[in-house]
Amino acid sequence: MNLLRHIHACNVFDAARFLPLHHAGQQIGLVRRDNAETLRRFPEIFDVGGGAVTIAAGGDFEAVSAAVDGVV
């Protein structure tokens, strides 16, 4: 792949393919819609709906990190 094709491939972004990822009332990132659908299988960790994905797991940083890590 020449450099120009590589740059183009890296810079193609379609916001419609993503949902915002929230935790504690703050947007912390984006999740691809296809991945969001997969996260529906883990309602104790992720709440998928309302046009966003929210990390529903509670606790301190380590507890939330461990819960998310257990899924992904």
Side-chain angles (χ1 to χ4, degrees), residues 2-59:
N2 70 35
L3 181 59
L4 186 57
R5 284 191 342 222
H6 182 72
I7 290 170
H8 177 68
C10 290
N11 289 309
V12 176
F13 175 76
D14 179 6
R17 294 181 55 215
F18 296 87
L19 292 174
L21 174 64
H22 294 143
H23 178 64
Q26 298 290 319
Q27 182 174 339
I28 59 171
L30 298 169
V31 177
R32 282 190 352 217
R33 288 181 183 270
D34 57 334
N35 290 334
E37 287 305 312
T38 301
L39 295 176
R40 285 186 190 276
R41 298 183 330 189
F42 307 96
E44 65 282 354
I45 309 299
F46 297 99
D47 178 23
V48 181
V53 176
T54 302
I55 298 175

